[in-house]
Amino acid sequence: MVNEISNESREDFFSERYYRFLRDLPPLKNLPDETEVIYPYADETVQKMIHSFFDKYFRDNNPRIFLIGINPGRFGGGVTGLAFTDPVYLEESCGIANPFPKTHELSSRFIYEMIESYGGADLFYSHVFLTAFSPLGFTWKGKNRNYYDTPGLWNTLKPWILETFRQQLALGADRNTAFCLGQGKNYRILQELNREHHFFKEIRPLPHPRWIMQYRLKRKEEFLTLYREEINKARGGR
């Protein structure tokens, strides 16, 4: 029984390891090209929310298929501290009440429609882990910025991103197949680094949720099906 597990063994679960990973991420400073870092993890409320989330869905040591985004944005993970999870879906789909302003984030809307079509959060998160190549997000003049948007930023961040990504994988990744959310530059970078560092046996691209919602909304059902089918293929019948 879960409630009979000692506190000592509980700390070995994926949930506790990943919670500590996020909680202990150092805030990045002095980034080039007027780049500011999004750093929600110093906030005690964020710490409480992410701890509740991980404790609910990841209190085990089963490997997860990683779905890898670019980096958190201002209105999803930049608020809640959880990848592709805005305050609305954290409460409505995950059942975790929170005091954050109830604003939607476009990528989160697609992801949680996909999660619902997959069978709900309990089933989805028992197989899959949502994350980002860079665990911290960035802004420029109040707008979202990607880690690769300027050569100076990427060159500065690359050693740190590689180190934190290795740490993420060691916490509980299925090292066979991972998915890159986005078929552009993030995928090209991940593929190049995967050939060099052997993170996974393979990385498959999926269309980015924001691109789907902004530019291919009429085909949304097609992409929901694609996500489900690709994840199930990666599971290999498990």
Side-chain angles (χ1 to χ4, degrees), residues 6 27 40 62 78 84 118 132 150 154 160 170 194 196 198 204 223:
S6 69
N62 301 327
F84 294 98
Y118 189 87
T150 74
W154 171 227
W160 177 82
N194 193 52
E196 181 180 354
H198 309 290
R204 301 178 191 171
F223 291 117

Side-chain angles (χ1 to χ4, degrees), residues 25-87:
L25 277 173
L28 297 170
K29 297 179 180 179
N30 302 318
L31 296 177
D33 304 322
E34 302 179 80
T35 304
E36 301 290 334
V37 68
I38 300 172
Y39 189 77
Y41 301 111
D43 186 279
E44 290 185 3
T45 301
V46 171
Q47 291 183 20
K48 180 180 178 181
M49 294 301 106
I50 63 174
H51 197 273
S52 296
F53 178 85
F54 287 125
D55 205 44
K56 181 172 184 177
Y57 295 116
F58 301 99
R59 196 163 59 178
D60 57 50
N61 281 314
N62 301 327
R64 296 319 200 272
I65 297 167
F66 272 37
L67 268 63
I68 307 163
I70 301 168
N71 45 245
R74 292 173 295 153
F75 301 120
V79 175
T80 64
L82 298 164
F84 294 98
T85 304
D86 67 27

Side-chain angles (χ1 to χ4, degrees), residues 38 71-80 82-90 101-113 130 144 146 181 208-211 213-214:
I38 300 172
N71 45 245
R74 292 173 295 153
F75 301 120
V79 175
T80 64
L82 298 164
F84 294 98
T85 304
D86 67 27
V88 177
Y89 288 110
L90 180 60
K102 296 304 182 288
T103 55
H104 266 305
E105 198 271 334
L106 204 54
S107 293
S108 187
R109 292 180 71 169
F110 176 83
I111 287 293
Y112 275 89
E113 286 187 42
L130 293 167
N144 285 331
N146 298 320
L181 302 191
H208 195 280
R210 176 171 287 277
W211 177 82
M213 298 298 281
Q214 281 188 315

Side-chain angles (χ1 to χ4, degrees), residues 5-33:
I5 296 174
S6 69
N7 287 334
E8 182 178 358
S9 62
R10 185 173 181 270
E11 292 179 358
D12 293 331
F13 286 145
F14 179 91
S15 57
E16 293 298 315
R17 295 195 301 269
Y18 208 89
Y19 166 71
R20 292 196 302 269
F21 166 76
L22 290 180
R23 182 197 63 191
D24 296 339
L25 277 173
L28 297 170
K29 297 179 180 179
N30 302 318
L31 296 177
D33 304 322

Side-chain angles (χ1 to χ4, degrees), residues 62-223:
N62 301 327
R64 296 319 200 272
I65 297 167
F66 272 37
L67 268 63
I68 307 163
I70 301 168
N71 45 245
R74 292 173 295 153
F75 301 120
V79 175
T80 64
L82 298 164
F84 294 98
T85 304
D86 67 27
V88 177
Y89 288 110
L90 180 60
E91 189 158 310
E92 293 182 357
S93 298
C94 302
I96 298 175
N98 63 84
F100 306 126
K102 296 304 182 288
T103 55
H104 266 305
E105 198 271 334
L106 204 54
S107 293
S108 187
R109 292 180 71 169
F110 176 83
I111 287 293
Y112 275 89
E113 286 187 42
M114 183 270 295
I115 288 173
E116 185 62 27
S117 73
Y118 189 87
D122 287 334
L123 179 61
F124 178 81
Y125 285 121
S126 70
H127 302 146
V128 179
F129 186 69
L130 293 167
T131 188
F133 190 40
S134 170
L136 294 179
F138 311 98
T139 60
W140 177 75
K141 296 185 178 180
K143 298 180 180 180
N144 285 331
R145 167 167 272 181
N146 298 320
Y147 69 83
Y148 52 68
D149 276 352
T150 74
L153 181 62
W154 171 227
N155 290 333
T156 299
L157 290 172
K158 185 177 179 179
W160 177 82
I161 289 178
L162 281 172
E163 176 58 28
T164 54
F165 194 61
R166 289 191 186 96
Q167 291 172 14
Q168 290 192 69
L169 299 183
L171 296 175
D174 182 329
R175 304 296 285 268
N176 291 305
T177 301
F179 292 96
C180 175
L181 302 191
Q183 298 167 303
K185 195 165 185 178
N186 192 45
Y187 177 59
R188 293 194 295 272
I189 290 172
L190 275 169
Q191 280 287 73
E192 178 182 342
L193 292 173
N194 193 52
R195 286 192 290 269
E196 181 180 354
H197 298 282
H198 309 290
F199 300 135
F200 304 98
K201 290 182 180 178
E202 65 171 340
I203 299 176
R204 301 178 191 171
L206 288 168
H208 195 280
R210 176 171 287 277
W211 177 82
I212 294 169
M213 298 298 281
Q214 281 188 315
Y215 303 111
R216 297 294 186 274
L217 187 59
K218 291 182 180 180
R219 296 173 56 195
K220 183 178 65 175
E221 293 300 320
E222 173 188 336
F223 291 117

